Amino acid sequence: MLYQQIDMELAEREAWALRRQKGIPNNRRLFVLACMDERLPVEEALGIRLGDAHVYRNAGGLVTDDVIRSAMLTTNFFGTKEIIVVNHTECGMMTATGEFLTNALREKGIDPDSVAIDPALPELKLPPGVFPKWIRMFSDVDEICLKQVELLRNCPLIPADVQIHGYVWEVESMRLRRPGVRLAEKVNTAKAMGAKG
Amino acid sequence: MLYQQIDMELAEREAWALRRQKGIPNNRRLFVLACMDERLPVEEALGIRLGDAHVYRNAGGLVTDDVIRSAMLTTNFFGTKEIIVVNHTECGMMTATGEFLTNALREKGIDPDSVAIDPALPELKLPPGVFPKWIRMFSDVDEICLKQVELLRNCPLIPADVQIHGYVWEVESMRLRRPGVRLAEKVNTAKAMGAKG
Amino acid sequence: MLYQQIDMELAEREAWALRRQKGIPNNRRLFVLACMDERLPVEEALGIRLGDAHVYRNAGGLVTDDVIRSAMLTTNFFGTKEIIVVNHTECGMMTATGEFLTNALREKGIDPDSVAIDPALPELKLPPGVFPKWIRMFSDVDEICLKQVELLRNCPLIPADVQIHGYVWEVESMRLRRPGVRLAEKVNTAKAMGAKG
Amino acid sequence: MLYQQIDMELAEREAWALRRQKGIPNNRRLFVLACMDERLPVEEALGIRLGDAHVYRNAGGLVTDDVIRSAMLTTNFFGTKEIIVVNHTECGMMTATGEFLTNALREKGIDPDSVAIDPALPELKLPPGVFPKWIRMFSDVDEICLKQVELLRNCPLIPADVQIHGYVWEVESMRLRRPGVRLAEKVNTAKAMGAKG
Amino acid sequence: MLYQQIDMELAEREAWALRRQKGIPNNRRLFVLACMDERLPVEEALGIRLGDAHVYRNAGGLVTDDVIRSAMLTTNFFGTKEIIVVNHTECGMMTATGEFLTNALREKGIDPDSVAIDPALPELKLPPGVFPKWIRMFSDVDEICLKQVELLRNCPLIPADVQIHGYVWEVESMRLRRPGVRLAEKVNTAKAMGAKG
Amino acid sequence: MLYQQIDMELAEREAWALRRQKGIPNNRRLFVLACMDERLPVEEALGIRLGDAHVYRNAGGLVTDDVIRSAMLTTNFFGTKEIIVVNHTECGMMTATGEFLTNALREKGIDPDSVAIDPALPELKLPPGVFPKWIRMFSDVDEICLKQVELLRNCPLIPADVQIHGYVWEVESMRLRRPGVRLAEKVNTAKAMGAKG
Amino acid sequence: MLYQQIDMELAEREAWALRRQKGIPNNRRLFVLACMDERLPVEEALGIRLGDAHVYRNAGGLVTDDVIRSAMLTTNFFGTKEIIVVNHTECGMMTATGEFLTNALREKGIDPDSVAIDPALPELKLPPGVFPKWIRMFSDVDEICLKQVELLRNCPLIPADVQIHGYVWEVESMRLRRPGVRLAEKVNTAKAMGAKG
Amino acid sequence: MLYQQIDMELAEREAWALRRQKGIPNNRRLFVLACMDERLPVEEALGIRLGDAHVYRNAGGLVTDDVIRSAMLTTNFFGTKEIIVVNHTECGMMTATGEFLTNALREKGIDPDSVAIDPALPELKLPPGVFPKWIRMFSDVDEICLKQVELLRNCPLIPADVQIHGYVWEVESMRLRRPGVRLAEKVNTAKAMGAKG
């Protein structure tokens, strides 16, 4: 009977729309931490689809208190069992130092030491002089990727059995790599290729 | 000559891969703040494509210090002129209160008042008892959307001429709405439709 | 031999064109009662195809004597075993009361009590004053859907073993729902979601 | 700015979902009266699409009081300006006489003179003996099509300026024809083709 | 090894190009006799493809000495085992009588009794007065189809075990039928449908 | 209004189905004479489509009295203005002599001098001994193609202003050529290419 | 876990990019020697794809010292086990003699006996008068193809177990053939087809 | 008339098949020198199609006497006006030194000083000890690319007005680059990106 087919489809739709209150996790039980860069197609890069993952993105793809908050929620309360970090080459976070940017803001008339860094949570304050560090500029994408994985693995707010790995997205080749494994450095010269003789 | 065609394509590729150091903004000069929920296809929902926007996503699509940091960077230093906030119905942030979750963590042996909320920036600390608020659970998606827009509009770290608007993604219809404009409430009864007579 | 293949195809074509005189039922042995609204794609909504069902549509998707006539014919004489009713949100039948519309007709110079409601069957007459009720305006789509199912289930002109169910098509989401099961009411607030704590 | 594009799309969606209360007619300002037969793909036959027409369908595609009710509503209150009738060959309404079917029901234990023909509107009653006529069996599809057009054109409940035409759908060729214009009768013999000499 | 794959493909190509000298029959061992009319898509009508059949076509799809010659060759020497005849409705051969056309030629200055009917084979001559019959105009497509099948079945130049059948292509429905089986005559009236009662 | 669109489409359909009695020629006013070989896709070879041409096909694509009959009809009475002949390489008509085949028939018990060559027109008779010539075997495809064009151009039953040309289809390359223009003979050796020096 | 899928894909990418230093042969362990002509689609002609073969192409598809060098490298050091030679009809190498071209160069002011034939390897010199032969013009494509296969089979720098075959690409039919097997010569006349009788 | 269309198409086909003897150059008047590597899709890399270019490929994409021969022919006699060189990263030519490979051959029993390097042209001989250099192994792909362009630009056998450029294909990104312009070296660290402050 047709009504039975329809009822099954309606049940699926309801399970989709009421996932959180029914306690259904995302399809891959996955949390992604990635940079907000416009050249990083997160789903395509990882080979995932709508429904598969909670995708956190910020400037740099860096561990912050907001990342910890979001990862704590999904791993403790929404069934997530795996975390993947994706940083990328030519990140805007490598274009200047925190001090340089802080000075630039000062020149615009902003006082970094008195400005509210979180307008929704005034209780969250930075000690004087920490503002440049808070911007979290970095200098090496492979190192920073390994560092984020380490930070998450050691965080007590994330259950110890969550699997955590990191990758680097190359905007120059639009492909993924393991941190530190730069194919482009092994292909241009005989020396890099380990020529014989 | 073919070499001229090839050189033009190579220049385009270089402009893509070196966008940040060449000072090229994203295509739509856009920053998006959206929830990390797996049912929210950000690009499809907004009708944008790879290269168009910096996409920030966290639990709830809420303004945090990380959002301020990321938005500050893109609007002050990377040429962004517009911000769009996307919250969504049936958000996990409406499934419990902050206190309820804090207690649940305590039962797992975690002390919310002593745990480091930002392992990468130890200087960032919460006063005792603020942890439940820091989780940022909320109770009404339309209100919370309007609130985020207001928070961003009033933030001194974001230039005043940046255009800021918010929308709600309906997971039940997989469509966007303006906050507070719920079509589903205007269509079920004669009264809701403003029947004549 | 090719002629055998051709003869088989011709037999299929003949069975299609002479279905009624050969006593072949529709593919799903199904009768659908649906509203005539232009936003209701009946086949797509139910997941059916050409040849699958007898599809009755009128203003509202309401049980009338014409519905009874049509359903009586298909269930008693053409092999139909299932009935599905489809009403829809934002139906024109909820835009006014029958009295309001009757008055509007009167203002156009039409006398509802004397006009022939069925020019092909003059024997079919309404008692005075029943015209507004005959228009069959209604006030709640979920209730009206349940009501139509009940009317059909109790009708002696329809065999008792015919399976009868009803659904509501949401024009705001272009999806089907069970009458009374409105997902859109369970997703906007923590309270509606049954938040813990 | 992107928000302007999104707002325009949301306005279109709202206009779709709230068509009736906003007084927006269907796209072609069209009402279709067609048979409920499973071999009649109404939209394809007429070359119309979702949103284009109010589509009324019953057993036979015949004018009844329900048709008058539905057509009255759409032409007087929903902006419709054109009516198209579609009957079809090999219609189930030509498989027997009304008397034959009435007797068949009697043999099943149903008393046609006492049964309620409209369970939702008990005021609607048939005089004794009219039941067979009420079933509306017919004997010639071309004649019946012309007749329905005439009935609608003369109905005072339908505004005089509404354009009304009728067509016959051939299930044997899956194509439309004008009533009375049967190509298949002009192609099989020299005589039918008006051979010279 | 790749060369083995290539050699197999080359062998197939050779078998295609040298079919006749290698004694390879057509794929379906089929000979088709069809009308040359532009509205008759022979392959599509029969569901056959390139390589499947020897397709003979002339004015009318009629048995002539050229048909006998061609059918004799393919059935006796090229491996053909089946013949299918396809005539069609609204054939030009039903637009006039042979006498009418002969007179029309005479008016153009042509003497039918002296003109060479076969410029390549002068030995082939018509007795005086037979020209109109030679044009082979006919008056009923179903009859003519049956007749061609009979002529071929009785022809001593075609082996007795060849299967021979005929069909009529309806240009009005673009479908095939068996000769004499006109669906269009069984669908327009209750009488034609064999109505009960 | 929709009915106007529909009426236009119905008029087109009628013009298609009643082409001959309405005196409408085929789309390209074209008659094709081609071989019946299964490797010759006539429409594809000439770049024509359904409705474009009257397509005559027989064993060899040779001028016979049936060709003259068919071409006479289409050029004098159906509006045709152009004739194209298509013969092809590796034709079965080059696999033996007429004498060889006649003897083969004799061995099967058939007397070529007494058999009826046209069962539908007994008046058409061959003088004794002409049977082998009547089979029309040939020995050179380029010559035979030019010959057919010549025969048609000189035929008084075809109007003098009809344009007549011939081509050869190469089954080995599945392409067309002008008769006598064999590219394959100009490409294999320096001598054939007219090498310099 | 997703990271395992990603790691597998990264390993594949690395194996692709570092094929030579990892000692991975091409997919088919194949070396192709083909002409550089713009009408020869090597991959399509052989039915191979990216990654399948080392493809050597020069003027003529002829064995030279550069071919020996390249074939020596791939068969001795890169794992190749098969060689296929592809020459083609209408090759530019058949348009003139070496002497004719040498004279043409002389007329442009070039002295063939003193010019460096290999600017990268001055040690490679031609004895006087050998320049015309060095250009390697040829006169028969089938012969030249067989000759190249023979040269390669006898070359001591290529391992004896390498399989070596040659084919000719016909630009006139855009198909491959075995050297010496010219279908186009077997299809035009009864004699070429070996007609009986 | 159709025959005119067909004749035009036949003329095009003839111009394709007889390009060299008619003196028609390739479509882009282009000669490509590329490596034979299986990971280099020459046409796709350059954005060219069948018919566009003479494509020379050898081990390394290096200038040899065979390259000079082929380029001399196409630029002096076949109308070519542009040359593009394509080398690629991770080339097999960077996996060892010529000496290493020569020794490896010696170990297989081959005497490099006595073996014929060109079996088709015995006059072409290497002085003793030059064999390792003749293998043409190289050590830097960007340098080698620039070098090949220089060698060709200075070659007197190639007309001075021919435009000559070179590119490097990156197998790790499957994209082209200008020699020496390695995007991958500018994107991994703040220092490489020229970070401010």
Side-chain angles (χ1 to χ4, degrees), chain A residues 20-21 23 77, chain B residues 94-101, chain C residues 190 193-197:
Chain A
R20 285 300 91 78
Q21 53 196 291
F77 301 109
Chain B
M94 294 191 290
T95 56
T97 60
E99 286 72 20
F100 181 91
L101 298 181
Chain C
M193 286 179 68
K196 296 170 189 166

Side-chain angles (χ1 to χ4, degrees), chain G residues 62-127:
Chain G
L62 302 173
V63 173
T64 64
D65 75 297
D66 197 6
V67 171
I68 296 304
R69 180 183 67 90
S70 302
M72 175 272 285
L73 281 166
T74 190
T75 57
N76 285 286
F77 301 107
F78 303 153
T80 291
K81 299 290 185 197
E82 181 179 11
I83 296 178
I84 288 181
V85 179
V86 187
N87 302 101
H88 69 94
T89 59
E90 227 262 340
C91 185
M93 303 308 286
M94 294 191 289
T95 56
T97 59
E99 287 72 19
F100 181 90
L101 298 181
T102 304
N103 284 337
L105 290 174
R106 272 204 193 92
E107 283 168 22
K108 291 191 180 193
I110 297 169
D111 176 6
D113 283 335
S114 68
V115 75
I117 59 163
D118 187 341
L121 190 68
E123 294 87 342
L124 203 65
K125 286 176 186 162
L126 283 180

Side-chain angles (χ1 to χ4, degrees), chain B residues 54-71:
Chain B
H54 286 141
V55 179
Y56 186 105
R57 303 182 66 177
N58 65 11
L62 302 174
V63 173
T64 64
D65 77 298
D66 197 6
V67 172
I68 297 304
R69 180 182 69 90
S70 302

Side-chain angles (χ1 to χ4, degrees), chain E residues 9 13 19 25 36 45 57 78 87 101-102 108 123 126 131 144-145 156 166 170 190 194:
Chain E
E9 285 163 22
R13 187 189 165 202
R19 271 196 170 189
M36 70 183 190
R57 303 182 65 177
F78 302 152
N87 302 101
L101 298 182
T102 304
K108 291 191 178 191
E123 293 88 340
L126 283 180
F131 192 89
I144 209 73
C145 183
E170 300 181 340

